[in-house]
């Protein structure tokens, strides 16, 4: 790739190391970046560095945020007695986009997968159980409908059952194996409203 010169080649190489960016896209982005005004490039670079430095996990729900408590957990108008369990921050964002859920969340950061060697101790389950010692009316399990998501849902419901807290699972209608973030808001809303008590 030396026909681009080492600086440009390095930029292309860095960009193509990102997920979902193939070498063609990386080249297109690199050319776009070098043609941008320098202030815009600076702003882009700064936003990457700032996000990396300041983004952390919410102390309550473990979503990614830049405060100790995320805006949802620190909002007194949300129903803090209803916790929706999701696999990642992108799934949380998908439910937030529906604008119809007023409870809070718990982000697991993964799902149980015996095949990949990911056990209950590798996701934020212990933290969920700690939260359930407070005042909680319902836990809605909104993990994906993949094998891993279903395994995780089953595991969590078994853990919670003895506490007497109501546990429900979002309804099917969410395509099997579908990543929640790619599902439209109407489908998500229907899945939430049609949730089934476990
Ligand atoms: Zn939070």
């Amino acid at each position: 790739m030396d026909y681009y010169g080492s600086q440009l080649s390095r930029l292309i190489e860095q960009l193509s190391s990102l997920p979902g960016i193939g070498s063609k896209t990386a080249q297109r982005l690199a050319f776009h970046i070098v043609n941008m005004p320098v202030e815009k490039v600076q702003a882009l670079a700064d936003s990457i560095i700032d996000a990396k430095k300041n983004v952390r996990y919410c102390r309550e729900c473990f979503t990614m945020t830049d405060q100790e408590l995320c805006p949802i957990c620190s909002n007194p108008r949300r129903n803090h007695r209803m916790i929706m369990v999701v696999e990642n921050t992108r799934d949380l964002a998908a439910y937030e986009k529906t604008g119809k859920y007023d409870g809070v969340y718990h982000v697991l950061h993964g799902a149980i997968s015996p095949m990949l060697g990911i056990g209950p101790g590798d996701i934020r389950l212990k933290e969920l159980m700690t939260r359930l010692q407070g005042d909680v009316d319902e836990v809605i399990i909104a993990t994906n409908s993949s094998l891993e998501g279903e395994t995780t849902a089953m595991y969590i419901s078994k853990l919670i059952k003895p506490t007497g807290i109501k546990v429900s699972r979002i309804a099917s209608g969410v395509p099997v194996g579908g990543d929640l973030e790619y599902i439209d808001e109407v489908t998500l809303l229907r899945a939430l409203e049609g949730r089934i008590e476990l």
Side-chain angles (χ1 to χ4, degrees):
M1 256 219 256
D2 258 3
Y3 37 84
Y4 287 142
S6 63
Q7 303 265 326
L8 195 49
S9 293
R10 187 171 145 230
L11 178 58
I12 293 169
E13 199 184 298
Q14 290 293 325
L15 290 168
S16 60
S17 70
L18 298 170
I21 310 281
S23 68
K24 270 192 186 156
T25 307
Q27 289 179 45
R28 210 176 57 233
L29 287 173
F31 284 120
H32 181 82
I33 290 168
V34 292
N35 283 315
M36 277 162 64
V38 71
E39 320 79 71
K40 291 252 167 137
V41 178
Q42 187 65 54
L44 173 64
D46 288 348
S47 70
I48 294 173
I49 299 289
D50 288 347
K52 179 59 199 166
K53 276 194 189 147
N54 300 316
V55 172
R56 52 177 135 173
Y57 297 127
C58 169
R59 130 169 93 79
E60 191 77 11
C61 73
F62 295 92
T63 193
M64 289 203 240
T65 180
D66 49 17
Q67 304 292 323
E68 219 184 306
L69 266 185
C70 75
I72 297 168
C73 288
S74 56
N75 185 346
R77 284 187 301 275
R78 305 288 295 226
N79 178 1
H80 290 259
R81 301 171 71 102
M82 186 182 269
I83 300 178
M84 187 193 291
V85 179
V86 292
E87 288 183 25
N88 56 53
T89 295
R90 297 188 314 268
D91 291 343
L92 176 154
Y95 273 103
E96 277 304 284
K97 258 203 261 164
T98 68
K100 292 277 158 59
Y101 176 69
D102 71 343
V104 292
Y105 296 89
H106 188 85
V107 183
L108 293 173
H109 293 285
I112 298 170
S113 170
M115 232 157 47
L116 297 173
I118 301 169
D122 299 315
I123 56 177
R124 302 275 185 178
L125 254 187
K126 210 174 60 215
E127 291 85 349
L128 173 64
M129 296 314 288
T130 308
R131 284 180 79 184
L132 298 188
Q133 287 165 10
D135 286 331
V136 177
D137 296 329
E138 183 178 356
V139 174
I140 303 169
I141 306 176
T143 51
N144 287 335
S145 53
S146 59
L147 178 63
E148 291 78 16
E150 292 298 347
T151 307
T152 308
M154 214 114 82
Y155 189 91
I156 295 176
S157 79
K158 273 194 198 139
L159 269 187
I160 299 178
K161 267 283 149 90
T163 66
I165 296 167
K166 183 177 168 190
V167 193
S168 57
R169 174 89 173 109
I170 54 164
S172 52
V174 177
V176 173
D179 259 20
L180 286 179
E181 60 169 325
Y182 295 119
I183 294 162
D184 68 90
E185 287 149 41
V186 180
T187 311
L188 268 189
L189 210 55
R190 222 176 276 150
L192 177 60
E193 280 164 356
R195 65 184 182 272
I196 301 150
E197 195 170 341
L198 295 174

